[in-house]
Amino acid sequence: MKLFVSTTSPFARLVMVACLRQQIDAELIFVMPWENPQELLAVNPFSQVPALLTDNQLLITESSVILAHLMPQIFADEKSAALTSLSLGIINQAVRAFATERFQPASAAPHPFIERSTSLLSNLLPNAPQLDAQSDALGQIFFGIALGYLKLRLAEVFDKAVTEANKGALEQFCQRDFMQKTQSTALEKLPTSISQL
């Protein structure tokens, strides 16, 4: 199977880390989805990553659906499902705010999506669960990835809204092997498969 990813997508990172942790291998195809590359459009007309092309040439998109297909057990546990959905929500709001700001015209007033997303995150994060930096539970791992993406893309929101305990836990979490293997600088070497990360 082939997994289409980019070096910066937090959704692709979720899937790559989950595959690493569950020892699921796949060929990695690196693309720049914003540029609508023909290689990606040929399999995914939405030009989004991650996109999984199965051995039967069936396309599965959306990180949560890919995860459910590859490892349905992660959603069988109620706590894991709840923390995974929280993590995906954090990433969705951070991506919306970042992408909207990045692509709006310089002369335009800030789009309301930016304020809405940053406000929702600012209200949520002070009461977010505590990250367990050493946990092997995928829900905890996804939560750490979500906090890491928030810190990267919306540093001001992260600095103001994330608790000091979670900031400290994130520092430890980011030192873990799978986080080092899937950071953007490591992915820029374009490994050819999950097993090569």
Side-chain angles (χ1 to χ4, degrees), residues 2-5 27-33 35-49 51 53 57 59 190:
K2 296 180 179 180
L3 182 62
F4 289 78
V5 295
E27 180 183 351
L28 293 175
I29 311 289
F30 285 89
V31 292
M32 296 288 289
E35 297 174 1
N36 297 328
Q38 286 304 311
E39 186 176 21
L40 180 58
L41 286 170
V43 296
N44 184 2
F46 296 115
S47 194
Q48 293 177 323
V49 294
L53 189 63
Q57 301 302 299
L59 176 70
L190 306 180

Side-chain angles (χ1 to χ4, degrees), residues 14-15 17-19 21-22 67 71-91 128-148 166 170 173 176 178-179:
L14 289 174
V15 174
V17 167
C19 286
R21 301 294 296 166
Q22 299 294 310
L67 291 168
M71 50 204 83
Q73 73 276 12
I74 70 169
F75 296 111
D77 176 72
E78 192 174 82
K79 284 186 178 181
S80 179
L83 195 51
T84 298
S85 66
L86 174 67
S87 304
L88 289 168
I90 291 170
I91 293 172
Q130 176 59 44
L131 172 65
D132 181 346
Q134 300 305 319
S135 176
D136 289 325
L138 284 173
Q140 285 287 336
I141 289 170
F142 295 159
F143 183 47
I145 291 171
L147 291 179
N166 268 336
L170 181 63
F173 177 77
R176 295 185 70 174
F178 57 84
M179 288 298 287

